[in-house]
PDB file of all heavy atoms in Angstrom:
ATOM      1  N   TYR F   5      -0.396  38.906  -3.814  1.00 63.00           N
ATOM      2  CA  TYR F   5       0.903  39.228  -4.396  1.00 63.00           C
ATOM      3  C   TYR F   5       0.913  40.692  -4.788  1.00 63.00           C
ATOM      4  O   TYR F   5       0.007  41.171  -5.467  1.00 63.00           O
ATOM      5  CB  TYR F   5       1.180  38.325  -5.606  1.00 63.00           C
ATOM      6  CG  TYR F   5       2.653  38.187  -5.806  1.00 63.00           C
ATOM      7  CD1 TYR F   5       3.387  37.337  -4.982  1.00 63.00           C
ATOM      8  CD2 TYR F   5       3.320  38.972  -6.707  1.00 63.00           C
ATOM      9  CE1 TYR F   5       4.751  37.246  -5.108  1.00 63.00           C
ATOM     10  CE2 TYR F   5       4.690  38.893  -6.831  1.00 63.00           C
ATOM     11  CZ  TYR F   5       5.395  38.023  -6.034  1.00 63.00           C
ATOM     12  OH  TYR F   5       6.739  37.946  -6.155  1.00 63.00           O
ATOM     13  N   ASN F  52       6.044  51.107 -13.961  1.00 97.00           N
ATOM     14  CA  ASN F  52       4.915  50.225 -14.253  1.00 97.00           C
ATOM     15  C   ASN F  52       4.595  50.320 -15.743  1.00 97.00           C
ATOM     16  O   ASN F  52       3.639  50.987 -16.156  1.00 97.00           O
ATOM     17  CB  ASN F  52       3.706  50.648 -13.402  1.00 97.00           C
ATOM     18  CG  ASN F  52       2.572  49.638 -13.438  1.00 97.00           C
ATOM     19  OD1 ASN F  52       2.756  48.509 -13.900  1.00 97.00           O
ATOM     20  ND2 ASN F  52       1.418  50.040 -12.957  1.00 97.00           N
ATOM     21  N   SER F  56       2.734  48.113 -24.721  1.00 97.00           N
ATOM     22  CA  SER F  56       3.524  48.575 -25.875  1.00 97.00           C
ATOM     23  C   SER F  56       5.000  48.687 -25.498  1.00 97.00           C
ATOM     24  O   SER F  56       5.870  48.391 -26.326  1.00 97.00           O
ATOM     25  CB  SER F  56       2.986  49.903 -26.407  1.00 97.00           C
ATOM     26  OG  SER F  56       2.842  50.841 -25.368  1.00 97.00           O
ATOM     27  N   LYS F  63      11.697  43.729 -28.406  1.00 95.00           N
ATOM     28  CA  LYS F  63      12.421  44.013 -29.659  1.00 95.00           C
ATOM     29  C   LYS F  63      13.886  44.341 -29.332  1.00 95.00           C
ATOM     30  O   LYS F  63      14.805  43.814 -29.945  1.00 95.00           O
ATOM     31  CB  LYS F  63      11.784  45.188 -30.407  1.00 95.00           C
ATOM     32  CG  LYS F  63      10.415  44.907 -30.991  1.00 95.00           C
ATOM     33  CD  LYS F  63       9.851  46.175 -31.654  1.00 95.00           C
ATOM     34  CE  LYS F  63       8.415  46.002 -32.098  1.00 95.00           C
ATOM     35  NZ  LYS F  63       7.838  47.257 -32.624  1.00 95.00           N
ATOM     36  N   HIS F  68      11.122  36.837 -27.361  1.00 96.00           N
ATOM     37  CA  HIS F  68       9.651  36.873 -27.325  1.00 96.00           C
ATOM     38  C   HIS F  68       9.183  37.441 -25.986  1.00 96.00           C
ATOM     39  O   HIS F  68       9.773  37.134 -24.938  1.00 96.00           O
ATOM     40  CB  HIS F  68       9.090  35.451 -27.523  1.00 96.00           C
ATOM     41  CG  HIS F  68       7.605  35.407 -27.750  1.00 96.00           C
ATOM     42  ND1 HIS F  68       6.692  35.668 -26.718  1.00 96.00           N
ATOM     43  CD2 HIS F  68       6.876  35.176 -28.860  1.00 96.00           C
ATOM     44  CE1 HIS F  68       5.455  35.587 -27.231  1.00 96.00           C
ATOM     45  NE2 HIS F  68       5.548  35.281 -28.513  1.00 96.00           N
ATOM     46  N   PHE F  75       9.577  33.955 -14.766  1.00 96.00           N
ATOM     47  CA  PHE F  75      10.142  33.954 -13.414  1.00 96.00           C
ATOM     48  C   PHE F  75       9.097  33.412 -12.445  1.00 96.00           C
ATOM     49  O   PHE F  75       7.912  33.382 -12.734  1.00 96.00           O
ATOM     50  CB  PHE F  75      10.585  35.373 -13.012  1.00 96.00           C
ATOM     51  CG  PHE F  75       9.563  36.458 -13.215  1.00 96.00           C
ATOM     52  CD1 PHE F  75       8.563  36.689 -12.275  1.00 96.00           C
ATOM     53  CD2 PHE F  75       9.579  37.259 -14.349  1.00 96.00           C
ATOM     54  CE1 PHE F  75       7.625  37.696 -12.460  1.00 96.00           C
ATOM     55  CE2 PHE F  75       8.654  38.272 -14.545  1.00 96.00           C
ATOM     56  CZ  PHE F  75       7.665  38.492 -13.598  1.00 96.00           C
TER      57      PHE F  75
ATOM     58  N   TYR C   5       6.930  45.341 -35.869  1.00 63.00           N
ATOM     59  CA  TYR C   5       5.694  44.785 -35.331  1.00 63.00           C
ATOM     60  C   TYR C   5       4.943  45.860 -34.550  1.00 63.00           C
ATOM     61  O   TYR C   5       5.495  46.542 -33.701  1.00 63.00           O
ATOM     62  CB  TYR C   5       5.993  43.587 -34.431  1.00 63.00           C
ATOM     63  CG  TYR C   5       4.792  42.680 -34.377  1.00 63.00           C
ATOM     64  CD1 TYR C   5       4.539  41.804 -35.419  1.00 63.00           C
ATOM     65  CD2 TYR C   5       3.873  42.776 -33.343  1.00 63.00           C
ATOM     66  CE1 TYR C   5       3.404  41.011 -35.413  1.00 63.00           C
ATOM     67  CE2 TYR C   5       2.731  42.002 -33.337  1.00 63.00           C
ATOM     68  CZ  TYR C   5       2.512  41.120 -34.375  1.00 63.00           C
ATOM     69  OH  TYR C   5       1.400  40.364 -34.368  1.00 63.00           O
ATOM     70  N   ASN C  52      -4.080  49.626 -23.485  1.00 97.00           N
ATOM     71  CA  ASN C  52      -2.643  49.390 -23.354  1.00 97.00           C
ATOM     72  C   ASN C  52      -2.311  49.256 -21.873  1.00 97.00           C
ATOM     73  O   ASN C  52      -1.800  50.182 -21.238  1.00 97.00           O
ATOM     74  CB  ASN C  52      -1.872  50.560 -23.987  1.00 97.00           C
ATOM     75  CG  ASN C  52      -0.389  50.273 -24.128  1.00 97.00           C
ATOM     76  OD1 ASN C  52       0.052  49.123 -23.984  1.00 97.00           O
ATOM     77  ND2 ASN C  52       0.380  51.315 -24.399  1.00 97.00           N
ATOM     78  N   SER C  56       1.037  46.129 -13.618  1.00 97.00           N
ATOM     79  CA  SER C  56       0.196  45.829 -12.437  1.00 97.00           C
ATOM     80  C   SER C  56      -1.156  45.266 -12.868  1.00 97.00           C
ATOM     81  O   SER C  56      -1.703  44.377 -12.227  1.00 97.00           O
ATOM     82  CB  SER C  56       0.019  47.071 -11.560  1.00 97.00           C
ATOM     83  OG  SER C  56      -0.402  48.174 -12.318  1.00 97.00           O
ATOM     84  N   LYS C  63      -4.212  37.065 -11.753  1.00 95.00           N
ATOM     85  CA  LYS C  63      -4.901  36.627 -10.527  1.00 95.00           C
ATOM     86  C   LYS C  63      -6.351  36.243 -10.860  1.00 95.00           C
ATOM     87  O   LYS C  63      -6.842  35.193 -10.457  1.00 95.00           O
ATOM     88  CB  LYS C  63      -4.897  37.736  -9.471  1.00 95.00           C
ATOM     89  CG  LYS C  63      -3.538  38.048  -8.869  1.00 95.00           C
ATOM     90  CD  LYS C  63      -3.651  39.220  -7.890  1.00 95.00           C
ATOM     91  CE  LYS C  63      -2.300  39.689  -7.401  1.00 95.00           C
ATOM     92  NZ  LYS C  63      -2.389  40.893  -6.541  1.00 95.00           N
ATOM     93  N   HIS C  68      -0.335  31.935 -14.455  1.00 96.00           N
ATOM     94  CA  HIS C  68       0.911  32.705 -14.368  1.00 96.00           C
ATOM     95  C   HIS C  68       0.939  33.745 -15.494  1.00 96.00           C
ATOM     96  O   HIS C  68       0.514  33.451 -16.625  1.00 96.00           O
ATOM     97  CB  HIS C  68       2.121  31.759 -14.497  1.00 96.00           C
ATOM     98  CG  HIS C  68       3.424  32.405 -14.183  1.00 96.00           C
ATOM     99  ND1 HIS C  68       4.023  33.323 -15.042  1.00 96.00           N
ATOM    100  CD2 HIS C  68       4.246  32.309 -13.119  1.00 96.00           C
ATOM    101  CE1 HIS C  68       5.162  33.737 -14.496  1.00 96.00           C
ATOM    102  NE2 HIS C  68       5.327  33.140 -13.338  1.00 96.00           N
ATOM    103  N   PHE C  75       1.591  33.452 -27.224  1.00 96.00           N
ATOM    104  CA  PHE C  75       1.002  33.507 -28.563  1.00 96.00           C
ATOM    105  C   PHE C  75       2.109  33.827 -29.568  1.00 96.00           C
ATOM    106  O   PHE C  75       3.168  34.323 -29.209  1.00 96.00           O
ATOM    107  CB  PHE C  75      -0.115  34.556 -28.635  1.00 96.00           C
ATOM    108  CG  PHE C  75       0.235  35.918 -28.092  1.00 96.00           C
ATOM    109  CD1 PHE C  75       0.897  36.840 -28.879  1.00 96.00           C
ATOM    110  CD2 PHE C  75      -0.092  36.282 -26.784  1.00 96.00           C
ATOM    111  CE1 PHE C  75       1.218  38.113 -28.393  1.00 96.00           C
ATOM    112  CE2 PHE C  75       0.219  37.543 -26.278  1.00 96.00           C
ATOM    113  CZ  PHE C  75       0.867  38.461 -27.087  1.00 96.00           C
TER     114      PHE C  75
END
Side-chain angles (χ1 to χ4, degrees):
Chain F
Y5 206 77
N52 191 13
S56 51
K63 291 177 187 175
H68 190 288
F75 50 82
Chain C
Y5 205 79
N52 191 13
S56 51
K63 291 177 188 175
H68 190 287
F75 50 84

